Amino acid sequence: QVQLVESGGGLVQPGGSLRLSCAASGRIFRGNVMGWYRQAPGKERELVAEIPSGGGTNYADSVKGRFTISRDNAKNTVYLEMNSLKPEDTAVYYCNAYVNAINYWGQGTQVTVSS
């Protein structure tokens, strides 16, 4: 089992920044992929960014150049630095861990971009 706990969501004005954190505990093996997804009201959950334990990153086109995903393997923590936020970034953001072909999810954290 893997447990994921997110933090860092909130309300921010357009153009602002937020940093999300996700701490993982449990049976985290090498070869996993950590990522962030989001779900806006009335929309499907979508990938925002992901980062395999071996390196490299993958971003949704809508966030490229604005968001940065990183991880600290020693702390089993993944971060999402979000800059130049737009109202369309408003959503519940979920941390995801893909470990041994199983998807694990955090409880979600609300990000609201509004003036």
Side-chain angles (χ1 to χ4, degrees):
Q1 284 290 341
V2 174
Q3 295 79 40
L4 303 172
V5 179
E6 301 119 333
S7 60
L11 173 65
V12 64
Q13 292 186 344
S17 299
L18 280 176
R19 188 193 196 205
L20 305 183
S21 299
C22 172
S25 60
R27 298 177 65 81
I28 298 287
F29 300 100
R30 295 190 179 203
N32 62 73
V33 180
M34 302 288 293
W36 291 93
Y37 287 70
R38 67 186 181 187
Q39 188 167 18
K43 294 188 177 181
E44 293 187 353
R45 191 173 297 189
E46 63 176 1
L47 173 68
V48 176
E50 61 185 2
I51 181 168
S53 57
T57 55
N58 181 39
Y59 294 93
D61 288 343
S62 60
V63 306
K64 284 181 180 177
R66 300 188 298 122
F67 291 12
T68 302
I69 190 170
S70 61
R71 62 187 293 164
D72 184 335
N73 288 332
K75 296 181 179 180
N76 283 333
T77 300
V78 63
Y79 306 95
L80 186 68
E81 187 74 35
M82 305 184 293
N83 298 313
S84 302
L85 282 160
K86 304 175 181 180
E88 51 263 44
D89 294 317
T90 295
V92 178
Y93 283 69
Y94 296 91
C95 181
N96 170 268
Y98 184 71
V99 181
N100 281 353
I102 299 174
N103 273 305
Y104 297 92
W105 297 95
Q107 79 283 357
T109 184
Q110 177 70 45
V111 171
T112 302
V113 185
S114 175
S115 55

